[in-house]
Structure formats: C-alpha cells, structure tokens
Amino acid sequence: MTETLFTPEAPASDDELSLGQYAQRAYMEYALSVVKGRALPDVADGQKPVQRRILYAMSRMGLGFGGANGTVGAKPVKSARVVGDVLGRFHPHGDQAAYDALVRMAQDFSQRYPLIDGQGNFGSRDGDGAAAMRYTEARLARISNLLLDEIDEGTVEFIPNYDGSTEEPRQLPARLPFNLLNGASGIAVGMATSIPPHNLGELCDAALYLVSHPKASTDQLLTFVPGPDFPTGGIIVDPAESIAETYRTGRGSFRVRAKWTKEDQGRGLWSIVVTEIPYMVPKSRLIEKLAELINERKVPFLADVRDESAEDIRIVLEPRARTVDPEILMESLFKLTELEARVPMNMNVLTAGLVPRVLGLADVLREWLNHRRDVLERRSRHRLNQIDKRLEILKGLLIVYLDLDRVIKIIREKDDPKAELIKAFKLNDVQAEAILNTRLRSLRKLEEMELKRELETLTQEKSDIESLLASSDKQWKTIAWQIRDVKKSFGPDTAIGKRRSNFAEAPVVGDIDLTEAMVEREPLTVVLSQKGWIRSEERRVGKECRSRWSPYH
C-alpha cells in the first residue's frame, strides 16, 4: 500500500483556502523544491544543482584543465570570481553555500576524484576550514572533462535559468556514474542521501558486464565492485553478506577501521603507528579523544599518543607496557574512539522525471547507462543535422563549379543575384546564400576537388550515424568502447585509480580481562623433586635468576 504525504481536496479558488490547507500546500511546494533543486543528486550525472552549476559556469569561463590532445589548460582564477559568476547567472542563493560546495569538490580527502583543481588553503584533514574565497584559486580538474566534454554537441536538455536571461543544462553528459564515483550527501525535507565513493576501474568493469548482461543482479556486479573506496583509505571489516545486502537494498552502512602497523623500536620496545583513518573523521578530533581517554585512565593499555603527520597520516600510539598485546590494545581503541567508524549508505537519488528513489547498485548503474545511451542518440542526431546542412551547401557549391562564368555574370549584372541564382540553377535559399558568401580565391579547380572529397567523407559519416541510430547493438558497443577508453585513462594502472581502501575480517576478541592483559609474559622453569618439593626459576633480562624451594603436597 502506497502512502501519500499530502492529498488535500482541491478548493474552488485560492480565496477559499483555509489557513491549514494553505500551509500544507506551501510546505509541500517548499519540500519538493528543496528535494529537487538543492539536496539530492541526479542519478544520471551524480551532481546536485549547485555542483552542476559551478562546473558549467567554470566551463563557460574557459577554466578547463586541458584535453588529452595536448591543449593547454587555463590558469586558475580567484574562487570569488567563480562564485560571483555562479550566483549571478545560475544559483541565486548564498555565496557561502556555493563556495562550500566548490571547496568540497577540490578536497582530495573528501572526494575520491576531485573535480576542481584548487590552489591555496582548501582545508585539511584536521577539520580546518578553507581560506576565504578571495584568497583561493580554482580551475577544473582533468577528470571533470568526463562530465562536460560533450555538452556543446546537443547531448543534454537546456532549461532557462532562474531569471530567464540565459540557459543551463538540466543534466551533464557524464561519461561515468559520478554519483557512485565520488559519492554524495545531502539532507532534504523528510529524506536524505548518503553515498560513499567507489573505485573508477571497478565501476567501469561492472558497467561493461551490465552492458553485455542487461539482467545482471547486484550480487553478480559485486564480483567487480566489492565495496566503497574511500579517498582516505582505511580497512572495511564488514562481512561479505552484510555488504551484499547493503548494495541490494541501497541502505546500510560500512564499518571502516584505521590502518595500523606495529613498529619495533628495539630492546623489546614497540609502538603502534596509524597511517590511515576512517573517511570524514577529523584527525585533530581523533587525537583529542585519545588524549582525553589517557587522562581519564579509560584505556589502561595506552600510555601516550603523538601526532607526527605531515602530508601523510602518522599517529604514534605508545603502549603502557611492552607486554600488552597490540591486537587487544587496538580492539579497545576501536570500541572507544573513531579509529573505527560507520559510514552510512542511503542511495536516495533523483531518477527520470526528478522522482526521488532509493536504488540498489544494479539499478543505479542501469539508470546511468540509459542516460549514456540517450546522450549518444542525441549527440548522433545533432551531428546528423550538422552533416545534412553541410551536404546541402556542398551540393550547391558543386553546381556552381559546373558554370562559374555564368554565376559571376549573374552576380555582376543582376540587381537581385540571389533570386537569379535560385532560378537559374534550381537552388534553395541556403545554397544561394553560401554561393554569394564564397570568396573569389576559392573559385579554383583544387577547391572543387576538396569539396568533392568532403562530400564523400560526410556522406559516409552520415551513413555510419544512421546505421548506429538504427542498431541497439551498435549503440551499446559504442558505449562499451567509451567506458574502456575512460578506464584506460583513469583506471587501476594510473596513480589516481589504484584502490585505497582494503578489506579484512575483524578479529574475534571477547571481553578484555585487564588484569590478564597486563601480566608480563616471561620464561619460567619449574623443577619437581622426588621428595615432594617444587622449585621455580624466573629468568629476567639483565637480572640474576631467582629461585626457591617449596613443598607441593
């Protein structure tokens, strides 16, 4: 049974609305506006409206990173200039909200694949905020090309901006499922979304499998996407069954632990070094919590904590005694601190028609693949329209070359040469206009040969595009080729594409006996005599052997 949030009786006119009915209607309009226009990402391109507008505005400003063909990228500009253009043209909201979105897209510890290349202070893992927008600079990152490259080729629908002065894209072409790639988070009225980031190469493999197996289940896709891939690394310790259930339903969470190693300091001493912490956990807050637990004597195994981090995370934990089991020490810290955290997953996204839905992994990838097919068809039809227009002009120009003298005579002698050309050579208005705009230097035999070659090339391209539009198999093969090309550029063989988060099983540790854990383990020799006496010999490093006899009966 489907529940409806609001089903008021339609009044005869606005004048007859009661206060309660008016409040209900106004609240529903506000709620839908927040859900569709601000809080939830679109399943097609994975962007919320403010993010999409920032990327599109920066593209219009010429702030691209540069293409794979060797084109030079733009110089970064002040973030304040970007925010001003976004607010003035597309996003009539607060400047701080727009700048916060820009900052997050530039943080390599917040997004797995940052979409903006930022210069200046854009915050840190300690939880420090970014510098003011007048002090930072930004341009588009290289991977943002995958969102924007085809936007001028008729691939997406454009809608009027807030004041009708210009247009903005409803969606971006998105050659990757960015809602899974970088994740998303947002809170709307009565609903929220929280999607962790994933690995690009794994998503490409899953999408390719789904192209060849359209009815593949989420369980089958999990052989390619074992779980999230966080920018800050960490170890995912959930069992495979729990992860599979989370991806099937689109709701759940992941247990993420810090990555640590035991570092030998010689002479029997050791320490624990934490090199990766869970996603979105501020390092400074974690250090403060550990220091607080030490001061309050809530972790008797831990003596000290030091932050030796530079660019990489390095948190040193000193045990209270060398006899402490490091596994037991870390398990106690996992229970008491954010060295273990839960990352929620709620894949609530806007689907076709801007309807919010919670989708599983397979459904999200299908929605994105359908978007890519729509983009391919729109791009092909746009190109086909361009080819038809050019072929029409080429055919008119080739007619002219058959009788150049007559054409020149008409242009020189007639008062309305355009009408005379249309009448004499049976041309249309477009062809006649193109002939009149042709330069005299182009009226040579070599130019005629080039026009014939262009006509032949475009005719073949038109045939190929028509064949593509008529064949579903060719369309999916083209999409698969595009996915493989993206994987080659940003896949696991590249520095940015390597998986950062690993998987492991959490050790089974019962209730920790503090007394037993602090007992020092040392070698002990026990001697039993025939006359009923027992002697123990305890050997200590740097000390003499101690022994004594005692009766054991």
Side-chain angles (χ1 to χ4, degrees):
M1 181 176 178
T2 304
E3 295 184 1
T4 56
L5 296 175
F6 173 48
T7 55
E9 296 181 0
S13 66
D14 289 347
D15 295 336
E16 298 180 11
L17 282 174
S18 67
L19 179 60
Q21 288 175 322
Y22 180 81
Q24 274 188 324
R25 190 178 72 175
Y27 185 76
M28 281 302 297
E29 290 176 354
Y30 165 73
L32 292 174
S33 173
V34 172
V35 169
K36 295 181 179 181
R38 299 180 69 177
L40 299 186
D42 194 296
V43 70
D45 60 7
Q47 306 302 306
K48 294 192 285 187
V50 64
Q51 296 170 324
R52 186 181 302 114
R53 289 162 177 168
I54 289 172
L55 295 171
Y56 180 62
M58 294 181 73
S59 175
R60 282 186 45 154
M61 294 170 67
L63 298 177
F65 185 83
N69 57 358
T71 56
V72 180
K75 292 179 63 177
V77 301
K78 291 289 186 182
S79 300
R81 180 179 168 190
V82 175
V83 171
D85 195 74
V86 171
L87 299 186
R89 295 178 182 273
F90 309 114
H91 196 69
H93 299 285
D95 59 344
Q96 193 58 45
Y99 183 54
D100 288 344
L102 185 150
V103 166
R104 180 175 171 80
M105 287 193 289
Q107 292 175 336
D108 59 359
F109 53 88
S110 294
Q111 291 206 323
R112 180 63 178 82
Y113 301 89
L115 299 176
I116 290 178
D117 179 25
Q119 292 189 11
N121 177 16
F122 277 85
S124 70
R125 296 184 187 182
D126 285 328
D128 301 324
M133 67 182 77
R134 62 183 178 273
Y135 298 123
T136 60
E137 297 181 344
R139 65 174 177 177
L140 293 173
R142 181 189 171 201
I143 199 169
S144 63
N145 292 339
L146 302 179
L147 276 166
L148 297 160
D149 263 352
E150 304 165 324
I151 199 166
D152 295 325
E153 300 178 31
T155 52
V156 292
E157 179 186 358
F158 278 76
I159 57 176
N161 69 335
Y162 69 93
D163 63 357
S165 61
T166 184
E167 291 186 329
E168 62 177 307
R170 185 186 295 276
Q171 298 167 328
L172 299 179
R175 296 182 66 181
L176 284 173
F178 275 89
N179 53 346
L180 290 171
L181 195 67
N182 274 331
S185 62
I187 300 176
V189 180
M191 61 182 65
T193 186
S194 179
I195 306 174
H198 293 75
N199 184 269
L200 184 148
E202 295 170 356
L203 290 177
C204 288
D205 291 337
L208 289 171
Y209 185 82
L210 198 57
V211 168
S212 57
H213 302 80
K215 295 184 179 180
S217 65
T218 294
D219 290 335
Q220 291 173 309
L221 297 180
L222 287 179
T223 59
F224 306 99
V225 185
D229 186 22
F230 301 106
T232 54
I235 300 175
I236 301 170
V237 294
D238 281 308
E241 298 79 10
S242 175
I243 294 176
E245 181 64 20
T246 298
Y247 279 112
R248 276 194 294 267
T249 62
R251 283 196 175 102
S253 62
F254 301 94
R255 286 174 63 197
V256 184
R257 287 186 166 186
K259 183 178 180 180
W260 62 276
T261 56
K262 179 182 176 182
E263 191 174 272
D264 188 10
Q265 296 179 349
R267 302 183 66 181
L269 301 177
W270 55 271
S271 61
I272 290 175
V273 178
V274 176
T275 55
E276 295 175 4
I277 59 177
Y279 181 56
M280 299 305 292
V281 173
K283 179 168 61 69
S284 60
R285 189 174 71 192
L286 177 62
I287 298 294
E288 290 175 3
K289 180 63 176 178
L290 287 168
E292 180 182 337
L293 292 174
I294 293 173
N295 293 333
E296 295 178 357
R297 301 183 181 277
K298 292 183 177 180
V299 279
F301 307 130
L302 187 61
D304 190 21
V305 56
R306 297 194 308 274
D307 183 9
E308 298 180 356
S309 305
E311 293 184 0
D312 298 325
I313 297 292
R314 181 179 169 83
I315 301 174
V316 181
L317 305 176
E318 295 287 351
R320 191 166 294 278
R322 63 184 180 183
T323 56
V324 173
D325 188 333
E327 292 284 350
I328 294 179
L329 170 59
M330 291 307 298
E331 285 299 321
S332 65
L333 294 179
F334 287 145
K335 291 181 179 180
L336 297 172
T337 69
E338 289 181 299
L339 286 172
E340 176 180 306
R342 281 203 171 269
V343 179
M345 183 171 185
N346 181 20
M347 287 203 285
N348 192 5
V349 293
L350 295 176
T351 57
L354 299 180
V355 178
R357 290 176 57 197
V358 178
L359 303 178
L361 175 64
D363 291 331
V364 169
L365 288 176
R366 284 194 185 94
E367 291 283 346
W368 171 73
L369 285 173
N370 291 335
H371 171 67
R372 283 303 301 168
R373 185 180 182 185
D374 182 60
V375 166
L376 178 63
E377 290 178 346
R378 292 175 66 105
R379 182 186 183 188
S380 300
R381 292 193 182 96
H382 178 76
R383 178 59 182 160
L384 200 60
N385 185 46
Q386 290 180 325
I387 290 175
D388 287 338
K389 291 180 179 179
R390 182 59 182 167
L391 287 176
E392 183 180 18
I393 293 174
L394 289 174
K395 290 175 182 178
L397 292 175
L398 288 174
I399 291 174
V400 167
Y401 279 99
L402 297 176
D403 198 348
L404 279 176
D405 293 337
R406 187 181 177 188
V407 171
I408 294 173
K409 184 177 180 181
I410 290 174
I411 294 173
R412 291 183 62 185
E413 297 178 358
K414 299 298 181 181
D415 295 331
D416 188 2
K418 184 176 182 179
E420 289 295 329
L421 286 173
I422 293 174
K423 181 179 179 181
F425 295 97
K426 296 181 180 181
L427 304 174
N428 58 34
D429 187 79
V430 175
Q431 291 172 328
E433 188 67 30
I435 292 170
L436 292 173
N437 291 331
T438 302
R439 295 182 178 182
L440 289 175
R441 69 174 63 182
S442 301
L443 303 178
R444 51 195 176 97
K445 192 67 177 176
L446 182 61
E447 186 69 20
E448 181 183 2
M449 295 172 60
E450 291 178 356
L451 291 176
K452 288 181 178 179
R453 281 196 295 268
E454 185 182 356
L455 179 67
E456 182 180 351
T457 301
L458 290 179
T459 302
Q460 180 61 46
E461 185 181 353
K462 178 181 178 180
S463 176
D464 293 341
I465 292 176
E466 290 174 342
S467 175
L468 175 67
L469 290 173
S471 172
S472 175
D473 290 340
K474 288 185 178 181
Q475 292 176 16
W476 287 120
K477 286 180 180 179
T478 302
I479 292 171
W481 173 83
Q482 292 173 346
I483 294 173
R484 293 190 186 97
D485 184 57
V486 170
K487 182 183 176 183
K488 184 178 179 181
S489 301
F490 298 94
D493 295 332
T494 63
I496 195 175
K498 295 179 181 178
R499 170 165 274 278
R500 299 180 185 178
S501 297
N502 299 319
F503 298 86
E505 293 184 3
V508 179
V509 179
D511 293 335
I512 300 174
D513 187 346
L514 300 181
T515 304
E516 179 67 20
M518 294 296 291
V519 172
E520 188 172 354
R521 270 72 173 175
E522 293 187 350
L524 183 69
T525 302
V526 178
V527 180
L528 298 177
S529 72
Q530 293 180 349
K531 295 182 179 181
W533 291 82
I534 182 172
R535 186 178 73 176
S536 63
E537 294 184 355
E538 182 182 356
R539 299 186 178 275
R540 298 195 177 193
V541 179
K543 296 184 179 180
E544 296 180 356
C545 174
R546 297 187 305 170
S547 65
R548 63 187 180 89
W549 287 98
S550 59
Y552 65 87
H553 50 77

